[in-house]
Amino acid sequence: MKQYLEKLMNRENLTLQEMKDVTATSFQSHITESQLASFLTALRTKGETPEEIAGLAAVIRSQSSQTTDNLVNVMDNCGTGGDGSHSFNISTTAAFVLAGAGVTVAKHGNRSISSRTGSADVLERLGVSLSFSKEHVEEILAENNIAFLFAPHVHPGMKRFMGVRKNLGIPTIFNLIGPLTNPVHLDTQLLGVYRRDMLPLLAETLHQLGRKRALVINGAAYMDEASLAGDNHITLLDNGNITSFTLHPHDVGLPVYPNEAIRGGNTAENTAILRDVLNGKPGAYYDTVLLNAGLGLFANGAVDSIQDGIAKAKESIDSGAAMEKLQRLVAYSNKISSEAI
């Protein structure tokens, strides 16, 4: 650990392999919390590189109890959080729309950390299990196109880092890597981030992690989701090529709403919003999910344009396919729960 700390303090970047080595070392019991805190602080002060982020994420993923690499064309649409927008659970709702449109989604998420209600809070209230085994995940993905991977359940080794992060009280590299540590192998990804300056860097990180195609998004007013409030800044990774562009809702035939129109609430309120959207209730929530699901379909390569993605997302909701994916996930959760009794 000492050699890596000295390198960071000299503002030298770590290679991908060095970051993998130091992360693997960090899981060992002889590394103290003060050493971990010093390492995270030095890394933050220097500024993280794609190699450092990818190295950390790769080792955390490999340490998961549910790492699997035998699934094909799976995506995630998880954001980093931390934008302070207090929006409803956009990516969670959009995940069912993506699944209803035929995309396989391994939804990785957690309870509320920076927002009032996390994906796990809402899904648990809906009746979705937070303790799917690796075999359960593979089965339900094959049967239903969507499964939920609860971060603390699939990353039990991360507990030792939580106290360090809490005591530091400052953003670290861990505020960026949640969506990068999905234990299911992902070919494509839609990644939202609250820092606009990180878009190209995270796109390169996704490339190093093996994504064939991805979109990294920073929404209007620096949301970690696409927003209908104005210009969204987007970086596309496509087979190693990285390009950037902006997207306004009017570009794809959607209305403009202020971000205040998509504020969420407590778990019960956000659960009701999710149900309303999947039932096709019009308004800002519905249109925001159309935009984000449309971008997800484009990120996955299921459509040739974002406009086509929005049309396909609308069809997924209006046909009842998206709601059916939720209902089947709940039914599967009830089934494994009854079998365990």
Side-chain angles (χ1 to χ4, degrees):
M1 177 67 79
K2 182 181 177 182
Q3 61 179 316
Y4 301 120
L5 270 173
E6 289 179 347
K7 193 169 183 179
L8 293 176
M9 291 173 69
N10 288 328
R11 294 190 175 273
E12 297 177 30
N13 297 329
L14 302 184
T15 66
L16 178 67
Q17 188 57 53
E18 285 175 330
M19 193 65 184
K20 286 182 177 180
D21 291 343
V22 71
T23 304
T25 301
S26 297
F27 278 92
Q28 298 173 11
S29 58
H30 70 273
I31 299 299
T32 66
E33 288 194 358
S34 62
Q35 287 176 308
L36 289 176
S38 297
F39 179 77
L40 293 176
T41 303
L43 192 62
R44 168 72 190 278
T45 302
K46 177 189 71 67
E48 303 88 350
T49 66
E51 291 78 13
E52 290 163 347
I53 299 171
L56 177 67
V59 172
I60 290 173
R61 180 182 177 273
S62 71
Q63 294 277 342
S64 171
S65 60
Q66 296 193 25
T67 303
T68 179
D69 293 313
N70 61 344
L71 300 173
V72 178
N73 198 22
V74 181
M75 79 171 296
D76 193 2
N77 67 330
C78 181
T80 61
D83 63 9
S85 67
H86 304 295
S87 60
F88 75 107
N89 299 91
I90 298 169
S91 63
T92 305
T93 311
F96 291 104
V97 181
L98 290 167
V103 174
T104 302
V105 183
K107 186 76 179 79
H108 187 239
N110 208 334
R111 294 195 185 278
S112 173
I113 296 176
S114 59
S115 60
R116 290 184 63 183
T117 305
S119 56
D121 302 305
V122 167
L123 292 174
E124 184 179 46
R125 187 176 182 90
L126 288 164
V128 175
S129 174
L130 303 186
S131 56
F132 287 135
S133 69
K134 178 179 176 179
E135 292 72 26
H136 291 147
V137 168
E138 292 178 351
E139 182 177 26
I140 194 61
L141 284 176
E143 292 180 1
N144 194 46
N145 288 356
I146 187 168
F148 182 65
L149 296 100
F150 181 43
H153 175 66
V154 300
H155 297 295
M158 292 299 295
K159 289 180 181 178
R160 75 184 316 254
F161 294 95
M162 297 306 293
V164 175
R165 294 178 62 194
K166 184 176 181 180
N167 289 335
L168 274 176
I170 60 172
T172 69
I173 191 171
F174 280 95
N175 292 78
L176 299 170
I177 63 159
L180 307 177
T181 59
N182 195 318
V184 174
H185 171 74
L186 305 176
D187 287 311
T188 60
Q189 189 157 359
L190 177 67
L191 170 60
V193 61
Y194 65 97
R195 285 179 56 183
R196 193 164 293 170
D197 62 308
M198 298 292 287
L199 293 175
L201 184 147
L202 286 175
E204 176 58 33
T205 301
L206 290 170
H207 174 55
Q208 295 203 21
L209 289 170
R211 306 296 189 266
K212 296 175 183 175
R213 186 175 167 91
L215 287 182
V216 188
I217 295 175
N218 178 261
Y222 295 91
M223 283 188 65
D224 74 328
E225 313 272 4
S227 166
L228 296 171
D231 285 333
N232 297 276
H233 294 252
I234 303 172
T235 297
L236 168 67
L237 166 69
D238 186 13
N239 291 313
N241 298 312
I242 295 174
T243 55
S244 296
F245 60 98
T246 59
L247 181 78
H248 191 277
H250 288 167
D251 296 337
V252 287
L254 290 173
V256 172
Y257 293 95
N259 283 337
E260 289 74 19
I262 56 169
R263 282 187 178 272
N266 59 30
T267 300
E269 291 167 329
N270 280 15
T271 301
I273 293 169
L274 183 149
R275 287 187 177 278
D276 284 345
V277 171
L278 296 189
N279 281 320
K281 182 178 179 179
Y285 298 125
Y286 177 90
D287 288 337
T288 298
V289 169
L290 286 185
L291 176 59
N292 281 273
L295 286 163
L297 286 161
F298 182 65
N300 178 258
V303 293
D304 293 328
S305 70
I306 298 168
Q307 186 75 66
D308 289 344
I310 291 170
K312 195 165 186 175
K314 188 175 189 304
E315 180 183 354
S316 174
I317 296 174
D318 295 351
S319 67
M323 178 59 84
E324 183 184 359
K325 296 300 179 183
L326 169 59
Q327 293 169 341
R328 290 183 64 182
L329 186 58
V330 171
Y332 187 85
S333 298
N334 291 336
K335 173 188 170 186
I336 63 173
S337 177
S338 63
E339 289 174 351
I341 297 175

